[in-house]
Amino acid sequence: MSASPFRVERWTTASRASVVAVALLIAALALGPGYFSDNAIDKLTTLFVYVILATMWNALAGYAGLVSIGQQAFFGLGAYFAVRLADGGMPVYGALASAAALTGLVSWPLSYFMLRLRDGEFAIGMWVVAELFHLLVNLDPLIQGETGTSLVALNRYGAFARHAYTYWMALAGMSFLLLLLFALLRSRTGAGIQAIRDNEEAAASVGVEVARTKRLIFVLAALGAGLAGSLWLANAITFQPKTYFSPQWTAYMIFMALVGGLGTFEGALIGAVIFFAIEALFGAAGVWYLIGLGATALGFALFLPRGLWGWVEARYGLSLLPVGYRLRFKTHSSSPAQTPRLAAQPRRK
């Protein structure tokens, strides 16, 4: 039998260079408070939060196939737990990190109920959970219903220190979650996550532990959303339940993942940057801004369903942060667009 004319590869020169470039960019951003203004620091902190939200929702829906329209449940819980822990005497930045961990802990038992639901039932069920958490938080006397409260513990820090510490925590949290998700998706568990998305029964038949794998990604997405909520609170200081438990947060997550490229690692990052830029330019337009976001998302769903990076991958075969494997022709070069066609052909004996 002749040798196969194809080879399986994961890393390319472009992907290695991209990983190095990302590492250098993060190292450079760590020096930001020494060079940027307070306004620039706040905006970058916002961008880091958007990246967390986009990548976590993309991991849940794009890779695991668990489409949730209620991730604001965990965003709001992260902010609420931060307020509660800080009010109880915990150092404020320790409270922010602990709030994310506590949100992930709450999501663990919740997953035993929610992951029994499928497709639309799961999506709507998560929205119901978010509303339930919203109502429960309103019952806390500290929160004073929809009046809300503030993270007063941050007043112990000067303006520069508060901006810098929040920035560094957001950068560290974003970097950690990106690295964790990248490693997870490149592992055997990551292959199982994507197999479940494609066909849950088939994944189970080849040995994937479906329930455990789905629970893992569900808890990770909840923890990430909780961290994003606590960081947003540190930047905004005030906490009002109706703001943090608003469905708009999940709408933003969906927009970023859809525009960037659902189910691609690079797509979520690109979507977050695009959304951040659109908000900076048109956020003051009020309701027209929201209408524009909706129309843009609809346009992508209809005419570019794989998002910007999904289109780039399909057109040019480019993968900068690879989490899967690629099939390449060994003997002579072929265009990226030809690779899927060649890979689909049966091997000649």
Side-chain angles (χ1 to χ4, degrees), residues 11-24 320:
W11 289 103
T12 64
T13 301
S15 64
R16 290 188 180 93
S18 298
V19 170
V20 172
V22 169
L24 292 175
L320 299 182

Side-chain angles (χ1 to χ4, degrees), residues 302-319:
L302 291 174
F303 304 110
L304 209 62
R306 297 188 61 183
L308 289 175
W309 191 255
W311 177 81
V312 170
E313 277 194 338
R315 180 68 179 84
Y316 300 103
L318 185 62
S319 181

Side-chain angles (χ1 to χ4, degrees), residues 31-310:
L31 304 175
Y35 300 95
F36 300 142
S37 66
D38 286 351
N39 182 57
I41 289 297
D42 283 347
K43 288 186 178 299
L44 284 172
T45 302
T46 298
L47 175 59
F48 300 156
V49 171
Y50 287 159
V51 169
I52 292 172
L53 290 174
T55 53
M56 292 297 102
W57 195 87
N58 185 51
L60 186 68
Y63 282 104
L66 296 170
V67 179
S68 168
I69 60 171
Q71 289 304 102
Q72 69 269 18
F74 305 119
F75 184 86
L77 277 185
Y80 167 70
F81 286 145
V83 169
R84 253 295 163 201
L85 292 172
D87 184 73
M90 180 178 287
V92 64
Y93 286 99
L96 298 180
S98 298
L102 190 55
T103 301
L105 186 62
V106 168
S107 73
W108 182 267
L110 179 65
S111 69
Y112 283 88
F113 300 97
M114 301 310 300
L115 294 178
R116 293 177 180 270
L117 305 176
R118 298 289 189 91
D119 303 327
E121 293 177 343
F122 174 78
I124 299 300
M126 285 304 303
W127 177 79
V128 173
V129 167
E131 292 301 306
L132 176 62
F133 285 166
H134 182 185
L135 294 173
L136 291 175
V137 166
N138 275 349
L139 296 177
D140 188 340
L142 174 67
I143 305 304
Q144 306 175 70
E146 293 297 353
T147 302
T149 186
S150 299
L151 192 62
V152 294
L154 279 174
N155 293 332
R156 300 171 188 171
Y157 298 88
F160 175 79
R162 179 172 65 81
H163 289 293
Y165 293 156
T166 303
Y167 171 90
W168 279 323
M169 186 171 182
L171 178 62
M174 178 193 70
S175 303
F176 171 75
L177 288 173
L178 288 176
L179 179 61
L180 179 62
L181 181 61
F182 186 68
L184 176 64
L185 292 174
R186 289 172 59 87
S187 69
R188 182 185 295 271
T189 300
I193 290 170
Q194 296 172 75
I196 291 170
R197 173 197 62 193
D198 295 335
N199 191 311
E200 189 170 313
E201 289 74 19
S205 71
V206 295
V208 176
E209 297 182 43
V210 173
R212 183 188 66 84
T213 304
K214 288 169 68 175
R215 186 166 296 115
L216 175 63
I217 200 70
F218 182 86
V219 172
L220 176 61
L223 185 149
L227 178 61
S230 68
L231 290 169
W232 192 269
L233 173 67
N235 223 22
I237 299 181
T238 58
F239 175 76
Q240 291 180 302
K242 64 181 178 182
T243 299
Y244 285 82
F245 287 97
S246 170
Q248 76 175 14
W249 292 108
T250 297
Y252 292 163
M253 298 179 211
I254 295 172
F255 178 88
M256 290 185 282
L258 183 64
V259 170
L262 190 63
T264 65
F265 198 89
E266 300 91 339
L269 304 178
I270 292 171
V273 172
I274 291 173
F275 176 72
F276 173 77
I278 291 174
E279 186 181 55
L281 293 172
F282 305 109
V287 67
W288 288 107
Y289 158 70
L290 298 176
I291 293 173
L293 285 181
T296 302
L298 181 61
F300 270 87
L302 291 174
F303 304 110
L304 209 62
R306 297 188 61 183
L308 289 175
W309 191 255

